[in-house]
Amino acid sequence: DLAAKGAVPEAALLSLAISGDGRWEDAFIGGVEAACETYGLALVGGDTFALPGTAPRVLGLTAVGRASHKVPSRSRGKPGDELWLVGWLGDSAAGLAMLQANHQADGLLVEAYRQPIPRLAAGRALAPLANAAMDVSDGLLLDALRMAEASGCGADLALDSLPLSEPFCEARGGSLEARLFAASEGDDYALLMALAPGFDPHSVELPEGTPLARVG
């Protein structure tokens, strides 16, 4: 969410349910600490509480960021805007499918699922130029619909233009079925930007290797 708004992460609040002997929580907090160090994010508070050992785990984290520009909402898209994606689609869902088939699976797709990397620098570069922007966490088809409805527009998506990574294509191919899978599943955290027609985001300085594709 912060990446889609072009914000710099500043602080986080964590709500953590404690259950059992604490080993799982120790490992989890270690991961949170590593993520906070990576993104310069201060964990400033939150809450911990205990649940019975048979209860499902409940976790909640709120991240707070700061933007020095006008923050794009998802509701200011305009007819004729071009829809661009920053990031790959389908990698995370493909990694999850691999783990569901084999808990010992590994590789780039599994890592994409287990350790998503927010496109913070690309978001800071492009969000100030976008009419509307949001992250794609629930699948492109659903999130593009949300942006279109919020903006009072329709959306025309080109499945043959989806940004698919080499590991994804090696695992699932590039068929229509594979592209629908990539467009329907979630947890990719790519950025969906509605940019003015004719504007080329390749003209903006982005981190080297940033996937960028016009999809509608």
Side-chain angles (χ1 to χ4, degrees):
D1 287 330
L2 295 179
K5 306 308 175 183
V8 177
E10 291 202 341
L13 301 165
L14 174 66
S15 174
L16 174 64
I18 299 173
S19 177
D21 61 12
R23 285 181 295 178
W24 188 94
E25 286 80 5
D26 286 344
F28 176 78
I29 289 297
V32 172
E33 181 180 19
C36 287
E37 290 178 351
T38 297
Y39 299 108
L41 190 67
L43 185 61
V44 298
D47 190 23
T48 57
F49 54 97
L51 289 178
T54 57
R57 296 193 181 277
V58 181
L59 308 166
L61 187 139
T62 300
V64 181
R66 185 184 302 275
S68 59
H69 53 79
K70 184 178 180 180
V71 175
S73 73
R74 64 177 64 180
S75 61
R76 298 195 188 102
K78 301 176 181 179
D81 279 352
E82 296 176 350
L83 297 179
W84 289 81
L85 271 178
V86 182
W88 303 114
L89 280 189
D91 282 8
S92 181
L96 174 58
M98 291 171 62
L99 287 169
Q100 289 172 330
N102 174 11
H103 290 175
Q104 303 303 317
D106 58 13
L108 294 176
L109 297 178
V110 171
E111 286 303 306
Y113 170 71
R114 285 180 165 161
Q115 294 185 318
I117 299 175
R119 303 280 178 177
L120 291 166
R124 288 195 296 271
L126 289 173
L129 307 172
N131 290 330
M134 63 184 293
D135 73 288
V136 179
S137 57
D138 293 325
L140 174 62
L141 297 183
L142 179 56
D143 285 328
L145 174 64
R146 289 169 173 161
M147 178 184 284
E149 289 182 340
S151 298
C153 301
D156 183 8
L157 299 176
L159 292 179
D160 58 352
S161 297
L162 298 185
L164 303 179
S165 72
E166 184 175 337
F168 178 91
C169 292
E170 289 177 354
R172 306 191 73 96
S175 66
L176 176 60
E177 180 182 3
R179 291 175 180 277
L180 284 171
F181 174 87
S184 302
E185 302 299 323
D187 288 340
D188 286 308
Y189 304 103
L191 306 181
L192 177 64
M193 303 275 182
L195 301 174
F199 175 75
D200 185 358
H202 291 96
S203 64
V204 178
E205 185 174 352
L206 298 172
E208 186 176 355
T210 299
L212 186 63
R214 192 179 76 172
V215 296

